[in-house]
Amino acid sequence: MAGPMKSQKPGAKPKNLVKTFSRILGYIAENKPLLIVVILGITISAGAQVAGTSMLKRVIDQYLEPMLKSYSSELMAGFLKTILLMAGIYLLGALSSYMYSRLMLMISTKSLYRIRTDLFRKMESLPIKYFDTHTHGELMSRYTNDTDAIREMLSNSVANVISSAITVTGVFTMMVIYSWQLTIVVICMLFISLNAIKFIGGRSSRYFMKQQQNIGKVNGYIEEMMEGQKVVKVFCHEEVAKDEFNQLNEALCEASTNANTYANVLMPIMGNLSHIQYAVTAIVGSILTINGILTLGTVISFLQFTRNFTQPITQISQQFNAVLTALAGAERIFELIDENPEEDHGYVTLVNAKENSDGSLTEVEDRTGIWAWKHPHKDGTTTYTRVRGAVEFDDVVFGYEDNKTILRNISLYAKPGQKIAFVGSTGAGKTTITNLINRFYDVPDGRIRYDGININKIKKPDLRRSMAMVLQDTHLFTGTIMDNIRYGKMDATEEEVLAAAKLANADSFIKHLPKGYETQITGDGANLSQGQRQLLAIARAAVADPPVLILDEATSSIDTRTEALIEKGMDSLMQGRTVFVIAHRLSTVRNSNAIMVLENGEIIERGDHNELIAQKGKYYQLYTGMFELS
Ligand SMILES: Nc1ncnc2c1ncn2[C@@H]1O[C@H](COP(=O)(O)OP(=O)(O)OP(=O)(O)O)[C@@H](O)[C@H]1O
Ligand SMILES: [Mg+2]
């Protein structure tokens, strides 16, 4: 690969390919001991080829030619001995080539394991924003097609490239030793071949990139259509979906054709060029022999050498497609690996604590039920503040995109143990506020404080551990119901899970399932009703038992009677906890300490239920409107 890639103009796309290739080599190089054995194996097998061929000269010049003139049994014995030796050398070469290809397979699976691990690690560290802007199928395709392409290359091409490099060097040395005149002929022909590779390679590499991109798009579309299958059917969009898919599929087909046409013509061109080269070398060699400059053995050996010399180059060109596909795939993989992870400059951590007799806190290992913020200061001291769940917004301004403000001048203060409700029309910014509290998105300057600490100073995992959230769209994982509730607190006992389920009023429906808590959940909870899924999500938050609880439309799909029951259960759970509730059903928020009415990202009214009703503003309209409707 080094040959054709190096011959590219610097600054063009293929310069990236060289970088990408050396990055893949970096992964391979992690298995150093194995790699050393492989390189040794390759050297032996390449060396055997060179040695075997160079013995041809001896066989012809020392034994065959003299024997043709006058036969003698010593010559015959020498001849047989040399032939046997040659056979032995070739056998050794074959054995080591078998061995190194097996080892190379091991190295490639290990490298891919590492690449996939790196990919997944990075994916788990990416900010929510990344997933807002990339389709799932397109991300998925990096794990499937792109890694597959790399595997293809590693298990076949890499060993070939190394072997070719060694063979070419060895053979070239022998060629110069045997005849510099014929070497010049070969070099001239090689120059033409390299130019052909350069011309074709430059053209096709960008199509290979396009091909991998289009595979990603096709996968993204398939995934989206699978997830949205019901909507597709409801609106009879099957035909439209087919058309759209066809367009993407055609684009993929075109890119593949373009990529492969160039690469496919390379092989026959290289093949023909090598035949021509062979013929030219043979003619020049014959002339030199007739004039007595070279021996017959030298020319025959040399011709064999030219075969060994062009073969690796032809071989690389045969794997051109595979290599370019792999490099294009690798480029996409590394692009994801190089994404900036979610930033976290937090240094305040959440620790278990016990209270001393004087009221101060001491950090302990075990779970005590008392949590504290461990706050190291610049002067070397560390303070512990009890986690209470006081949340304060101070004139927060925020937008998902730079040029579009969603929240304006949001100021609020939630005392520990208070229930704060957000109401307001769709798109007003309710979910956005909760996204900021647990730092799915960051507010540039520290204007949100949690127990008096600027939340940008708190380590994200610790911040998130201190609050449970029931998201607006519930997500369940493959596993049992028990596993799914336990997701809120991985070390929860069975009793704790049951208690949480009872609290969330999920217990009664779970008990009626044939397998109860051991019921398997499939496909994001497709075998449960929407309301049941929400009950599980509430139970999951309840089991985490955190000081702050955020419920985003948590009861929107639950009937009013069950909701009332949950609320009763929650009231005990909410004791001593700060709770943020978002609800469209205003009966849910009536008993809140404070209700914030949001409109276009601004708090337009605030107060408790009675105050807001008395104000006769937006809340009053919403509330009385609700009654008119029912
Ligand atoms: N990930 C995002 N990227 C860009 N804009 C977003 C994103 N999420 C929400 N928005 C925009 O922010 C605004 C507020 O959205 P938000 O989800 O906070 O509304 P909401 O009050 O929770 O509405 P609902 O009652 O429908 O849940 C909307 O105009 C929406 O278009
Ligand atoms: Mg919302």
Side-chain angles (χ1 to χ4, degrees):
M1 198 71 259
M5 283 306 134
K6 269 186 192 150
S7 59
Q8 301 293 343
K9 280 190 206 85
K13 180 123 214 152
K15 196 182 148 212
N16 262 341
L17 291 185
V18 174
K19 216 173 101 197
T20 312
F21 188 67
S22 52
R23 245 178 114 170
I24 299 179
L25 285 184
Y27 277 96
I28 307 174
E30 277 170 21
N31 304 286
K32 273 215 183 72
L34 278 185
L35 197 64
I36 290 172
V37 180
V38 167
I39 291 179
L40 205 71
I42 293 176
T43 318
I44 293 176
S45 97
Q49 209 180 23
V50 179
T53 312
S54 63
M55 285 175 82
L56 203 61
K57 176 180 149 84
R58 186 138 56 101
V59 170
I60 295 169
D61 286 350
Q62 284 186 11
Y63 303 111
L64 265 186
E65 231 186 357
M67 264 203 292
L68 284 177
K69 286 179 191 137
S70 66
Y71 178 84
S72 84
S73 55
E74 287 127 61
L75 277 177
M76 191 59 190
F79 172 73
L80 286 178
K81 223 173 86 187
T82 320
I83 289 283
L84 273 179
L85 189 64
M86 255 174 97
I89 289 175
Y90 279 128
L91 187 70
L92 180 73
L95 278 179
S96 54
S97 116
Y98 169 76
M99 182 201 65
Y100 83 68
S101 28
R102 290 294 298 265
L103 285 180
M104 202 53 216
L105 210 68
M106 273 170 70
I107 294 182
S108 80
T109 39
K110 274 192 182 170
S111 308
L112 282 170
Y113 165 85
R114 287 270 298 126
I115 290 177
R116 274 195 300 266
T117 313
D118 283 358
L119 252 183
F120 193 76
R121 279 218 183 124
K122 179 42 75 75
M123 191 182 82
E124 287 298 283
S125 74
L126 288 176
I128 298 281
K129 199 169 185 94
Y130 188 83
F131 299 95
D132 286 352
T133 47
H134 291 80
T135 73
H136 293 176
E138 206 252 319
L139 288 179
M140 202 53 222
S141 143
R142 300 181 199 217
Y143 289 93
T144 52
N145 302 295
D146 294 337
T147 32
D148 237 27
I150 296 185
R151 203 213 33 233
E152 190 70 28
M153 177 178 88
L154 288 189
S155 48
N156 292 322
S157 319
V158 166
N160 247 317
V161 172
I162 303 177
S163 150
S164 305
I166 296 177
T167 315
V168 165
T169 321
V171 167
F172 185 74
T173 319
M174 293 308 287
M175 285 192 336
V176 175
I177 295 174
Y178 276 32
S179 157
W180 59 266
Q181 301 94 328
L182 290 179
T183 309
I184 292 176
V185 175
V186 172
I187 298 241
C188 290
M189 296 301 290
L190 181 72
F191 182 73
I192 298 173
S193 309
L194 280 183
N195 270 312
I197 294 181
K198 179 177 162 183
F199 179 75
I200 294 163
R203 241 142 251 265
S204 47
S205 64
R206 66 165 182 273
Y207 286 113
F208 277 98
M209 195 66 207
K210 225 172 169 172
Q211 172 181 284
Q212 291 309 98
Q213 273 165 1
N214 279 316
I215 293 178
K217 278 189 197 156
V218 165
N219 284 352
Y221 192 78
I222 295 174
E223 150 117 21
E224 210 171 320
M225 285 306 121
M226 275 187 321
E227 279 180 1
Q229 205 35 241
K230 282 184 186 158
V231 182
V232 171
K233 290 215 187 319
V234 164
F235 295 100
C236 303
H237 260 250
E238 289 95 336
E239 292 306 316
V240 179
K242 278 188 216 160
D243 283 348
E244 281 174 356
F245 179 77
N246 276 347
Q247 276 172 21
L248 290 175
N249 203 6
E250 268 160 29
L252 169 61
C253 183
E254 197 186 305
S256 309
T257 315
N258 281 336
N260 292 305
T261 334
Y262 279 119
N264 279 348
V265 294
L266 190 62
M267 219 173 77
I269 290 181
M270 294 304 294
N272 285 326
L273 279 176
S274 86
H275 289 315
I276 297 173
Q277 183 201 51
Y278 193 80
V280 173
T281 317
I283 294 169
V284 177
S286 315
I287 295 169
L288 290 175
T289 318
I290 292 167
N291 291 325
I293 298 171
L294 296 175
T295 64
L296 185 62
T298 310
V299 175
I300 292 178
S301 283
F302 194 96
L303 280 175
Q304 193 54 39
F305 276 137
T306 58
R307 277 248 170 275
N308 294 348
F309 189 66
T310 44
Q311 197 188 25
I313 298 170
T314 320
Q315 242 171 27
I316 292 176
S317 71
Q318 274 172 1
Q319 286 172 354
F320 209 60
N321 300 17
V323 170
L324 279 184
T325 310
L327 290 181
E331 227 164 67
R332 283 158 47 81
I333 287 175
F334 293 142
E335 177 194 80
L336 200 156
I337 291 182
D338 292 342
E339 276 292 329
N340 290 328
E342 188 171 12
E343 279 186 30
D344 192 0
H345 303 298
Y347 52 88
V348 177
T349 51
L350 187 68
V351 295
N352 285 297
K354 74 173 200 288
E355 199 167 338
N356 305 319
S357 50
D358 62 352
S360 64
L361 294 169
T362 316
E363 184 179 348
V364 288
E365 283 294 313
D366 312 322
R367 230 181 146 108
T368 50
I370 299 176
W371 296 95
W373 295 117
K374 180 181 181 180
H375 195 156
H377 297 278
K378 283 206 185 80
D379 58 9
T381 56
T382 305
T383 52
Y384 292 92
T385 327
R386 190 163 177 157
V387 178
R388 295 183 184 280
V391 178
E392 188 186 345
F393 274 59
D394 179 18
D395 207 13
V396 170
V397 178
F398 174 77
Y400 290 99
E401 284 131 36
D402 293 337
N403 48 9
K404 202 171 155 224
T405 317
I406 301 284
L407 294 180
R408 292 179 191 84
N409 318 334
I410 300 288
S411 296
L412 61 91
Y413 186 69
K415 287 198 193 115
Q418 276 190 331
K419 182 176 172 185
I420 309 287
F422 295 109
V423 300
S425 36
T426 290
K430 305 179 294 290
T431 301
T432 307
I433 290 189
T434 62
N435 282 344
L436 297 184
I437 298 179
N438 73 354
R439 288 183 73 196
F440 276 165
Y441 301 89
D442 281 328
V443 185
D445 34 4
R447 290 193 159 149
I448 304 178
R449 276 186 289 278
Y450 187 6
D451 288 331
I453 306 164
N454 171 359
I455 58 165
N456 289 345
K457 288 187 188 166
I458 304 177
K459 254 194 151 54
K460 279 184 183 174
D462 293 60
L463 173 74
R464 289 173 190 161
R465 213 143 45 89
S466 77
M467 49 179 75
M469 200 163 178
V470 177
L471 298 169
Q472 191 161 11
D473 33 41
T474 41
H475 186 89
L476 301 174
F477 294 94
T478 305
T480 62
I481 287 194
M482 180 74 85
D483 297 337
N484 267 283
I485 298 179
R486 198 172 269 150
Y487 208 82
K489 180 180 158 196
M490 291 317 249
D491 56 352
T493 62
E494 207 152 300
E495 286 72 40
E496 285 176 304
V497 172
L498 286 180
K502 285 206 177 96
L503 201 75
N505 210 38
D507 185 63
S508 54
F509 98 79
I510 298 174
K511 273 199 306 217
H512 283 107
L513 295 171
K515 286 195 184 149
Y517 282 85
E518 294 308 314
T519 308
Q520 277 288 332
I521 287 180
T522 51
D524 194 9
N527 49 349
L528 296 176
S529 81
Q530 197 73 31
Q532 288 168 337
R533 287 160 55 176
Q534 285 194 340
L535 292 181
L536 289 186
I538 297 173
R540 184 192 279 166
V543 84
D545 194 24
V548 173
L549 197 59
I550 299 168
L551 307 172
D552 192 353
E553 296 280 355
T555 52
S556 59
S557 306
I558 293 165
D559 66 281
T560 32
R561 200 183 66 86
T562 313
E563 190 189 354
L565 287 172
I566 296 174
E567 205 167 327
K568 251 169 89 188
M570 285 303 229
D571 281 344
S572 55
L573 176 75
M574 285 175 189
Q575 289 295 318
R577 249 175 252 280
T578 313
V579 184
F580 292 94
V581 196
I582 298 175
H584 276 139
R585 232 181 312 188
L586 297 187
S587 58
T588 321
V589 303
R590 252 178 93 160
N591 66 348
S592 308
N593 299 89
I595 299 168
M596 315 277 162
V597 184
L598 274 167
E599 178 87 21
N600 276 329
E602 271 180 294
I603 299 179
I604 52 165
E605 285 170 30
R606 64 177 84 208
D608 66 16
H609 176 74
N610 294 332
E611 288 165 9
L612 290 181
I613 289 291
Q615 260 185 36
K616 292 223 153 102
K618 178 89 181 174
Y619 182 80
Y620 176 81
Q621 275 176 17
L622 287 170
Y623 196 76
T624 48
M626 184 191 80
F627 279 121
E628 276 160 23
L629 283 176
S630 56

